Each structure stands twice: as C-alpha cells, then as structure tokens.
Amino acid sequence: MDTIVSTTKNVYRFGDKNTDGDKTMRNLLGGKGANLAEMGRIGIPVPPGFTITTEVCTKYNNLGKDETVVLLLDEVSDAIKSIEETMGSRFGDATNPLLISVRSGARVSMPGMMDTVLNLGLNDEAVLGLAKKTKNERFAWDSYRRFVQMYGNVVLGMKPENKDDEDPFELCMHQLKEKRGIELDTEFDVNDLQFLVTEFKKLIFERTGNDFPTDPWEQLWGAIMAVFDSWNGKRAVYYRQINGIPSDWGTAVNVQAMVFGNMGPNSATGVCFTRDAATGQNEFNGEYLIDAQGEDVVAGVRTPQQITLKGSKRWAELAKLTEEERAKNYPSLQEVMPKLYQELFGFQNQLEIHYRDMQDMEFTIQDGKLWILQTRNGKRTGAAMVKIAVDMLHEGLINEKEALLQLIPNKLDELLHPVFDLRALKRAKVIAQGLPASPGAATGQIVFFADEADKFKNSILVRMETSPEDLEGMNIAKGILTARGGMTSHAAVVARGMGKCCVSGAGALKINYKKRIMTVDGHEYHEGDWISLNGSTGNILEGKVATMVPLLSDEFAEVMALSDKYATMKVRANADTPKDAKTARSFGALGIGLARTEHMFFEGDRIKAMREMILADTVKGRILALQALLPMQRSDFEGLFEAMQGHPVTVRLLDPPLHEFVPHQLATQKELAEDLHISLGAVKNKVAELHEFNPMLGHRGCRLGITYPEITEMQTRAIMEAALNLKEKGITVSPEIMIPLVGTLEEFESQEAVIRQTAQKVFEEYEDTVEFTIGTMIEVPRAALLADTIAEKADFFSFGTNDLTQMAFGYSRDDAGKFLPIYLEKGILKDDPFEVLDREGVGQLVSLGTKKGRSSKKNLKVGLCGEHGGEPSSVEFCHDNGLDYVSCSPFRVPIARLAAAQAAIQ
Ligand code: ADP
Ligand code: MG
Ligand code: MG
C-alpha cells in the first residue's frame, strides 16, 4: 500500500484555549465548525473539540475508508488528547470516560440533512464508570440507549428508508412503553433502559450479522466515515439540488466533547433565535426541554417549552391553556432558571452583534452550566428577511450595503405571493388552530404522505410531524400542517426556509395514516378534501378560501429604494399587456424590455384574422387580413404605451413560426374552412405546408418579416399610429422597434428599410412625427460574433438569451426536458442553462457581442431580455459586463433590482 503523506492540515481544534480556526474559514471547516471556532475565540463557552476539513471529505470519496484513517490517524489522536486534557477524562476509559459527539457540517447549513452521533465512546464498561462518576445511573443508561440507537441508525444503516419501514428501535421502545403503561421516554427507569440497550444490540446483530462495536476508536472511525457518507445520502443530495449547492463542496466532521442536558431537573437543552424567524420581530425566542438531549426539542416527542415568559404566555394562549396550567406544566426558561436565562440572553445579544445578522443557536445546560453548541445565521421567511435587514439598519447594527447584502433576492418572491382575502377569511369555518410556524396562505387538498404530495395539483401535507425524509414532498405541497411539534420543529424550520406556509403543533388533530383520515372534534377530513392554512395566525380553515394580492410593507419599499440607490444597471419588464405593464410599473420596472407581439394575436377574433392572413394565397389577400388586425394591434400598443407613462417600450416584431397559429385538430380546421368559405382540403394543405421539421430553427423571427414584409409594415404602422395618437393626448412615447433573430447585417437592413419607409408614410399622413429607434435581438450566435457590423446600423441590442442558449448549446428548448434533468443529476451540467445564464459559454457571446457592438457604436444601448433577466446570478453577470438593463417578468422585477444593487456593491 502506498503511504499517504499529508502535507496539508486536516484537523483544526476549537475550544477555549486551543482554537485554530475562525468564522472566515467556513469553506474549509464548514459553517458549524467555523462558528464553533469563532465562538471559542470570543469567549463563548463551547465544549472543546476539533473539525476534520471538507477537503478530507472530497479525498475520502477517492481514498475510501482505510486510507482515510491512515491519513488522519496522527492528527485525530493528538486532537483527542487535547480534548482529554481540557475535560479531565479519557476516551475509552472504563472509570472516567470521555464521551464525544460526531457532527456533520457543510459550508452552508443543511439542517437535519446529514447525520450526527451523540454519546460516542460508551460501551458496557464505560456506562458503569459514567454512572458511578456522575452518581446518576439513569442518566448513564439513557445516554447509552441513545448512543446505540443513533449509531445503529446512522453508522450501521438501520435507518428506515421509506414510509412502510418502521424504525426497529422506535418500535422496540413503543412496545416497552405499552407494556409498562407509560407514554414518554423520560418515564423509562434504569431497568427499562438496560433492557432496551440489550434489545437494540440484539436487533443490530440480527440485521447486520455483526456485534455492536465496543472499541471507542472503532466507533469513532465508523461515525466519521458515516458523516462523510451522509453527504451523498438521498436527503442531502435532494436538498443540494433544490438549493443549488454544488456536490463537490463536501462536509466537514466536527468531533466534540459531550455536554449533557439529560442529567436531571437541573439540565436542559434547547434552540433559540435572536429574532422572530417568521415575522422578523426583534424578539428573542426559542424552545427548550428539561432533562433532554440533542434533537428532543425538534423531534416533537415531548411538547417543548418556551424560553421567554412572553413567548410562553403567547404560546399558552394559542394552545388554549390557562395561565395556571401553563405555569405549572410548561413554564418558561426565564421562570425556571432565571440566572441561566440571563446568561443565554447575554450570549444571544453578543452573537447577533458579532455576526451582524440574526442567529439561530443551540444550547445545552448541564447541571446548572450553560454551553453553546451552535450558532448560525438563522433561516427566515422572506418577510422576516426584509424586516430584519431594515430594522438592523435603523438600529445602527449594520450599514446600508450590509443590509442589502444580507438579503436573498429570490426570497423577495414570497412577499409577492397572494394572501387570504379578508372578507373570505371572515366567512371561512375555522377547523382548529395550531402554531403560526411559517406565514402565508395555502389552499389545497389533503395528503397524508410526503411522497404523495404530487397526487393533487394543490396539496396540503398533513402529518403528525415531518422528518428530513419528507423534504421533497414538503417542497411540492402548497402548505404543511402538523399535529405535533413546536415553532422550532423540523416542519417549522424547513417550511420557513422554503418560504412555505406551515401550521405546526395543532394538537386537536387526530391523524389516522392507515385510513387516511384526519379527525377534529368528531369531524372527519379525508384525503383529497380541501382545506386552507393561515400560516400567519395558525388557523386551519375548511375548504378553499379566496386569496388576494398582498399589500407590500414599508420595509419592502425601503429595501427597493435602497436597491435603486446602489444599482447602476436598470431593470425593465417583459410585458405584453397593459395589465402586465401596470404590474411591472408597480414593482418599479423602468420600461418594457420586451413586448412580444404574437401574444396579441391569440385572443378571440384576432386568431381568426391571423389565420386568414396566414392562409391567404396572395399578397393582396394577406394585406386585407392584416388590415383587420391593424386596429386591434394599434389599440394594444396604445394601452401598453399609456401604462408605461413615457418609460421606454421595446416592441419586438412577430417572432414565432406561423404554424403555431393554425389549427391542428380536425374540428377547428372544419370551422376555419367554413369561416373563410374555403374547402377543408385547402386548410389541410396549408397546415401541411407550414409543417416544419425543426420549427425552432425554421421559418420564424425576421425570416417572417423578410418573406412577408406586409406583416412588418402592419406592425410598424400600428406602433407609429399608437405613438402619434398618444402624443396628441400629451403622452410622449419613443418606441424602440426590435427585429428578432437577426443573424446577418443584410437581414437587419432589409427589415430596417421596411420600418423606415412605413414610419415615413405614417408621419406624412399624420403630418407629425415621433422619435423611434430600431434595434435587434442578439440571439443567433452569428449575430454576437458579427456584432460590430450589425451595430453600425442597429440603435440598440437586446440579448435574447433563451434562444442564444438554445443555439449555443444546440439544445432545443422544447425537447431539453428529456435530457437536462439527467445531465443535472449526473453533474454534466451544474445548472439548467435556461435558468442560470451559462457564463462560461453563452456568457462569452454576451460579453463579446457587447464589446464588439460598442466598438463600432460607443453608446450602443445593450440589454438582456431572456428568462435570465430575473435570475440573480445572471443579473450579476450582466452588471459585470456593463449592460444598460435587464428585462424580466413583472413579478421578478424586485428581485432583479436587488440583485443589480448587490452586483454593484460587491
Ligand atoms: P444538525 O446539523 O442536524 O443540527 P448537530 O450536529 O447540530 O446536527 O447535532 C444534533 C443535535 O445534537 C443538536 O441538538 C446538538 O445541539 C446536539 N449536540 C451535538 N453535539 C453535542 C455535544 N457535544 N453535546 C451535547 N449535545 C450535542
Ligand atoms: Mg445543529
Ligand atoms: Mg428569441
């Protein structure tokens, strides 16, 4: 075997004294590791430990287990020694054992996606030592029980894979509870726990054929490799896919001394947020449990209690508990451990100021001592994101640029989603109430299993609680409803991250998975029944409740104004109708970058006139049909121009292949034949004639205007007449006419001539003129290559990156659905190039085209009007390449404005 000589540092220590890393090293140490190091450095109490770098994860994929152990052996042994010294205990010792946790941690947080093992280092001897040392037998056996279970699940592959599988350990515990007539894990006594450990080990032997490993070092290496493996687990892969996280980042592994929240009434564990992750309110909040460990709080097994008194009272109100019941059974941490609460409050304050962002923290109290186990920038809803950034700016915690950079452009989308119509809401019947875990309005049909979320077009996923396996279904469902779990339950956290409406912990619901029924107060709701969720109040409503467009907050307006202050590139909208144009204006679009004229021909009578034009055998016949279209088109343009109040409007001449307009079904063909008083055969012949083998590369774009100049004439006339009519009304319009799909200068010139002649004619008839420009889309690669010659004639360019991508890659947009998903899965492409502009290839055409164009016309106006215009990373690319504007769909205008500002700041 070749020996591997490691020249790089693979292991970084953290803790009070010995901290190697800091918060800037998240690529190498993962977010969790970098922040543990940082907290150690600034004096926050974190249990000592070390981080194995993300680079090792990547190496592990090639080296395999054995060689990775060789690679790490010395460094890990040293680091364990260092923990032993700090903790005054020894790993693998029978009388004074050091227990550790092995935790995953990628660059960006992927909550619950990868695996963690707690209490590692226990075996049949060590558990006795631990019991003796702590004088707490129950605690020792509880820890051992948890360890064997977690190790079995995570390392030995005994995790249930689908909904029909039961977790063998949970099943075993359930049976024991029934036998003993108890309900909670905390009610197990020492005997029960000892019994469970023995049973768990038996189960492991039966399933795997191997004994549970008693050697702590074997346990440790097994757990480290399992964390590396979990990077490629199904859940993690899917999470990466929907969040655009590259698979080559890898995860770090954090090995850390255990601190115990399960040592009795003086111990606890919990999670907390420096601000409200749902609404953004500046209120410290969170949940905790006495005598509990690790995931107990989020797992929904016991009802978690609130950390603050204020939060506790609010929670009790929603849970319909009296103040007496609350104070007795569910008191806040503030009441139970006031000193520790104050300490925790101090740390959360310190961390928020230090990180200059809202923090999501994990803590554990071991026998009266507080430890912080994790901090990270908290996931939040779009509304909370905006409020927190603006509040922090006003509080003087961050500056304007930091506020803008704190925002995730795509999450603004959530703020534009519909909310319930207040009147409809008043009439709706409230079925029950849960916790307002993630705001929004959702209406859909009930499904009970995550993998059936696609059963209906709009579904509401109803579960006792959710787990990381449910991620895909949660993403598909319109809303999520759980019967158990609090504001920090898996469902709540994930839903907020997705910006999805969620009501959690609705205790009044009884769910029967087998029968697929949910019962509330004797009422049954079945799979497929419609319900609505109000994620802002926690109300569950019967049936479909109508929605309306949301009112945008003052904070939103402030963020937009701030964006415009820093952005240098303008944002326009793609809009074809006055309605879209008005929406675009209300979202702050500074013009229309693409008005597609073909959409104007599909409605009502227009399609008939259009078909008549297409079916005409003679130029004369065509002109006659076009004359019928002229007034309609003119009034469309008037509407558009008027809605844009003097902001520029780029009108693209007819673009799609003509066959899209003719009927392909016999019945409609017959109808058309009757309408036009021609034979069915004639219609059929024409349809056949228009058939193309490759319509995307066929008779479309300027090729239409060149073969049928009458069309360009009519469209130009409509544009000019509309502009002149508005001029009379006192509205100035300077139309920008855009010729599609130009590949040669001659194509451009031929269309330009028709446009200029027609405009001249109209001006003479009106005895008046308007200013106008003629430009082209750059969407055929040849046009980008010859941009300098085209720019000699064109007044402006607009990159049509949908077609440019299609033609640069040679992927037909209409057919790419068959292979692109596989390309993404196999990692052949990192992103769908139709979503995220391909900087490497298509991007070259954009920058080359811009440079060449401006080399012959210095002030050439250049924009981009593909789908990419509303995609943040593509917007950044456009900014970096000096484009004057991007144009995107109206609802993406705010996103593009923010992305443009971020690009300018960075
Ligand atoms: P995730 O990334 O899924 O949040 P974590 O590694 O943070 O996973 O750990 C899962 C749970 O175990 C958390 O509640 C965490 O606080 C707890 N935990 C992890 N390490 C320790 C430790 N050394 N002592 C006590 N609890 C721990
Ligand atoms: Mg965690
Ligand atoms: Mg195009």
Side-chain angles (χ1 to χ4, degrees):
M1 190 176 86
D2 290 343
T3 46
I4 301 136
V5 183
S6 166
T7 48
T8 46
K9 190 170 162 63
N10 296 305
V11 171
Y12 287 71
R13 286 172 303 175
F14 61 80
D16 42 1
K17 308 190 278 273
N18 309 312
T19 297
D20 300 330
D22 63 50
K23 72 171 177 194
T24 63
M25 297 169 73
R26 59 185 314 134
N27 289 0
L28 189 64
L29 303 181
K32 200 181 285 170
N35 288 339
L36 282 166
E38 184 77 8
M39 286 195 287
R41 277 163 30 86
I42 64 172
I44 304 263
V46 293
F50 59 88
T51 305
I52 304 172
T53 67
T54 54
E55 283 172 0
V56 179
C57 181
T58 315
K59 287 183 200 157
Y60 163 79
N61 289 333
N62 302 321
L63 294 177
K65 176 171 171 169
D66 292 344
E67 296 201 22
T68 306
V69 173
V70 174
L71 176 75
L72 293 174
L73 192 58
D74 290 346
E75 283 178 273
V76 168
S77 305
D78 284 351
I80 288 275
K81 266 197 207 102
S82 156
I83 305 180
E84 289 175 339
E85 277 162 27
T86 318
M87 297 301 286
S89 53
R90 288 202 49 192
F91 190 53
D93 199 88
T95 49
N96 183 18
L98 166 70
L99 302 193
I100 53 182
S101 66
V102 178
R103 322 170 63 185
S104 58
R107 271 193 221 185
V108 292
S109 94
M110 298 165 58
M113 285 305 108
M114 289 178 301
D115 294 324
T116 292
V117 180
L118 303 181
N119 309 327
L120 189 141
L122 279 175
N123 53 34
D124 290 348
E125 286 91 53
V127 69
L128 302 177
L130 185 67
K132 210 163 154 197
K133 177 183 150 195
T134 58
K135 302 191 187 63
N136 190 338
E137 213 182 352
R138 188 188 181 283
F139 151 72
W141 283 96
D142 181 50
S143 302
Y144 197 19
R145 188 274 298 170
R146 290 168 185 268
F147 171 52
V148 178
Q149 179 172 359
M150 260 190 247
Y151 201 88
N153 275 332
V154 171
V155 185
L156 304 176
M158 293 185 56
K159 204 180 305 196
E161 282 303 325
N162 56 54
K163 68 166 190 263
D164 301 319
D165 279 1
E166 284 215 68
D167 182 327
F169 305 119
E170 289 294 334
L171 191 66
C172 186
M173 291 211 287
H174 184 73
Q175 285 164 349
L176 182 61
K177 280 180 192 168
E178 297 226 305
K179 206 172 108 197
R180 295 260 288 97
I182 55 175
E183 243 177 65
L184 297 175
D185 296 2
T186 42
E187 293 172 272
F188 287 133
D189 62 21
V190 175
N191 280 329
D192 296 332
L193 293 166
Q194 287 172 337
F195 170 79
L196 286 173
V197 168
T198 316
E199 287 300 301
F200 286 4
K201 287 197 206 155
K202 264 193 227 155
L203 281 169
I204 287 171
F205 185 78
E206 278 165 23
R207 280 277 183 105
T208 67
N210 294 314
D211 280 323
F212 186 78
T214 51
D215 173 15
W217 279 97
E218 187 185 340
Q219 294 172 355
L220 176 57
W221 291 119
I224 291 173
M225 303 307 154
V227 169
F228 284 149
D229 285 331
S230 69
W231 176 255
N232 287 319
K234 226 171 91 188
R235 278 184 274 153
V237 169
Y238 181 70
Y239 187 88
R240 287 205 290 277
Q241 252 173 32
I242 61 175
N243 290 287
I245 300 170
S247 62
D248 57 8
W249 280 3
T251 179
V253 182
N254 300 290
V255 177
Q256 187 177 27
M258 281 301 299
V259 289
F260 301 100
N262 56 335
M263 269 183 140
N266 224 357
S267 301
T269 187
V271 295
C272 56
F273 298 85
T274 60
R275 296 181 191 232
D276 192 320
T279 64
Q281 291 293 338
N282 186 4
E283 268 173 16
F284 175 51
N285 66 96
E287 293 173 335
Y288 79 106
L289 279 173
I290 298 275
D291 195 10
Q293 187 175 62
E295 309 274 58
D296 289 1
V297 175
V298 293
V301 183
R302 274 159 70 191
T303 306
Q305 292 157 237
Q306 300 301 306
I307 288 183
T308 66
L309 178 57
K310 190 172 170 193
S312 183
K313 289 193 165 162
R314 191 185 308 145
W315 170 84
E317 209 170 286
L318 288 170
K320 306 223 158 39
L321 293 178
T322 65
E323 170 58 16
E324 214 182 353
E325 285 170 314
R326 182 202 69 78
K328 181 160 168 278
N329 300 324
Y330 305 98
S332 65
L333 186 72
Q334 198 172 1
E335 294 159 281
V336 180
M337 303 179 176
K339 269 224 177 83
L340 289 163
Y341 169 81
Q342 279 311 327
E343 201 182 343
L344 180 63
F345 189 86
F347 290 149
Q348 65 90 20
N349 207 24
Q350 183 186 352
L351 284 170
E352 185 178 275
I353 293 169
H354 185 75
Y355 282 95
R356 307 166 88 78
D357 200 346
M358 186 263 266
Q359 296 298 295
D360 164 356
M361 303 154 55
E362 290 172 4
F363 66 91
T364 283
I365 294 166
Q366 174 176 331
D367 212 12
K369 166 140 179 69
L370 173 63
W371 298 89
I372 306 297
L373 287 164
Q374 189 172 337
T375 193
R376 60 183 170 215
N377 294 345
K379 295 206 184 302
R380 63 204 78 174
T381 62
M385 170 185 85
V386 167
K387 176 154 177 55
I388 289 171
V390 170
D391 281 356
M392 286 188 159
L393 173 65
H394 292 174
E395 290 159 23
L397 224 55
I398 54 177
N399 62 33
E400 289 180 346
K401 288 182 180 176
E402 284 174 307
L404 285 172
L405 292 177
Q406 202 184 80
L407 302 167
I408 301 167
N410 275 335
K411 282 190 81 75
L412 290 179
D413 195 36
E414 288 168 36
L415 281 91
L416 314 175
H417 283 329
V419 294
F420 285 124
D421 184 311
L422 285 179
R423 269 167 304 173
L425 206 55
K426 268 194 195 134
R427 282 194 303 269
K429 180 187 163 198
V430 178
I431 301 172
Q433 189 173 35
L435 303 173
S438 182
T443 289
Q445 290 172 273
I446 297 176
V447 295
F448 290 101
F449 298 97
D451 57 358
E452 293 175 5
D454 55 1
K455 204 163 183 170
F456 307 106
K457 190 160 160 269
N458 298 298
S459 63
I460 303 281
L461 179 62
V462 179
R463 300 282 304 163
M464 295 297 285
E465 69 249 339
T466 62
S467 74
E469 282 79 24
D470 298 334
L471 197 72
E472 193 165 348
M474 294 169 78
N475 193 33
I476 294 168
K478 292 282 179 276
I480 298 151
L481 170 61
T482 68
R484 288 203 210 132
M487 295 289 284
T488 54
S489 65
H490 178 265
V493 172
V494 171
R496 284 197 294 269
M498 289 176 171
K500 187 146 299 200
C501 171
C502 174
V503 172
S504 68
L509 307 185
K510 301 231 158 36
I511 296 171
N512 186 330
Y513 287 135
K514 263 221 173 90
K515 290 193 181 150
R516 300 179 183 230
I517 289 176
M518 145 183 128
T519 320
V520 193
D521 286 342
H523 264 282
E524 283 185 357
Y525 298 88
H526 298 248
E527 178 181 279
D529 285 351
W530 285 85
I531 56 169
S532 300
L533 303 179
N534 187 341
S536 314
T537 61
N539 274 344
I540 305 156
L541 308 150
E542 203 170 270
K544 295 188 210 180
V545 179
T547 56
M548 60 175 204
V549 189
L551 281 177
L552 293 172
S553 66
D554 292 347
E555 283 96 354
F556 179 83
E558 194 168 339
V559 161
M560 284 296 100
L562 211 53
S563 298
D564 293 348
K565 177 172 168 186
Y566 286 96
T568 51
M569 191 172 64
K570 297 209 160 56
V571 177
R572 296 193 188 184
N574 302 340
D576 312 335
T577 63
K579 183 169 164 264
D580 285 353
K582 278 186 196 128
T583 313
R585 278 298 300 143
S586 73
F587 289 144
L590 292 176
I592 292 179
L594 175 65
R596 303 177 182 89
T597 49
E598 55 270 20
H599 293 184
M600 300 172 173
F601 294 127
F602 280 105
E603 285 162 35
D605 284 350
R606 301 171 174 210
I607 186 77
K608 269 192 199 154
M610 188 67 186
R611 284 170 175 167
E612 219 176 307
M613 191 276 290
I614 295 168
L615 293 186
D617 283 328
T618 59
V619 177
K620 223 174 144 197
R622 225 172 2 254
I623 290 176
L624 248 122
L626 283 165
Q627 268 168 8
L629 284 167
L630 175 69
M632 304 181 206
Q633 182 122 80
R634 184 176 54 221
S635 78
D636 287 335
F637 290 135
E638 284 172 6
L640 263 187
F641 294 156
E642 198 164 355
M644 288 319 282
Q645 305 155 323
H647 290 287
V649 177
T650 306
V651 180
R652 179 179 70 184
L653 300 179
L654 193 66
D655 181 55
L658 292 181
H659 80 92
E660 284 188 12
F661 296 96
V662 294
H664 293 271
Q665 269 150 355
L666 189 63
T668 25
Q669 286 179 349
K670 270 187 187 153
E671 221 174 274
L672 183 64
E674 275 167 30
D675 277 353
L676 299 185
H677 309 291
I678 52 176
S679 72
L680 177 62
V683 172
K684 281 188 157 171
N685 276 343
K686 196 71 194 182
V687 172
E689 216 174 87
L690 287 171
H691 170 80
E692 291 182 304
F693 288 103
N694 219 332
M696 276 295 179
L697 300 175
H699 193 184
R700 54 172 288 221
C702 65
R703 298 157 204 173
L704 291 173
I706 289 168
T707 45
Y708 303 124
E710 319 71 78
I711 299 176
T712 305
E713 262 174 56
M714 183 281 282
Q715 292 202 293
T716 306
R717 177 171 279 277
I719 294 167
M720 295 307 165
E721 289 184 358
L724 285 162
N725 290 348
L726 285 185
K727 188 177 177 188
E728 222 161 83
K729 286 205 226 161
I731 302 170
T732 336
V733 187
S734 329
E736 301 173 344
I737 299 179
M738 183 154 76
I739 305 168
L741 222 69
V742 161
T744 73
L745 175 66
E746 290 72 15
E747 282 175 323
F748 182 85
E749 286 174 330
S750 145
Q751 287 292 285
E752 186 197 10
V754 177
I755 295 167
R756 291 207 188 281
Q757 280 156 20
T758 310
Q760 199 46 45
K761 245 191 245 162
V762 177
F763 293 163
E764 276 162 21
E765 286 164 25
Y766 274 69
E767 292 178 359
D768 197 359
T769 60
V770 290
E771 291 203 15
F772 68 97
T773 54
I774 305 174
T776 177
M777 284 186 87
I778 304 288
E779 50 188 340
V780 175
R782 192 179 191 279
L785 299 171
L786 293 168
D788 45 351
T789 44
I790 294 174
E792 277 168 22
K793 292 291 164 68
D795 296 321
F796 64 88
F797 280 178
S798 180
F799 286 95
T801 48
N802 295 346
D803 267 312
L804 196 59
T805 299
Q806 166 168 265
M807 292 188 222
F809 274 95
Y811 297 162
S812 151
R813 257 191 289 166
D814 295 340
D815 301 309
K818 293 200 182 102
F819 54 86
L820 269 187
I822 296 162
Y823 270 42
L824 293 171
E825 214 177 280
K826 294 200 168 174
I828 289 171
L829 290 174
K830 283 221 163 104
D831 297 295
D832 178 341
F834 292 106
E835 262 169 46
V836 180
L837 184 75
D838 158 50
R839 296 182 182 212
E840 264 186 310
V842 180
Q844 275 196 55
L845 292 169
V846 174
S847 48
L848 180 80
T850 308
K851 271 194 211 104
K852 281 199 146 189
R854 286 187 178 149
S855 74
S856 56
K857 189 170 275 168
K858 209 170 143 244
N859 295 324
L860 183 76
K861 186 154 61 166
V862 181
L864 177 146
C865 64
E867 290 305 312
H868 300 115
E871 191 281 317
S873 96
S874 313
V875 172
E876 184 189 29
F877 180 84
C878 293
H879 170 89
D880 293 345
N881 281 279
L883 267 63
D884 296 292
Y885 69 89
V886 290
S887 186
C888 57
S889 72
F891 276 89
R892 296 201 72 83
V893 167
I895 295 167
R897 285 163 78 194
L898 173 58
Q902 291 185 339
I905 293 170
Q906 262 154 358

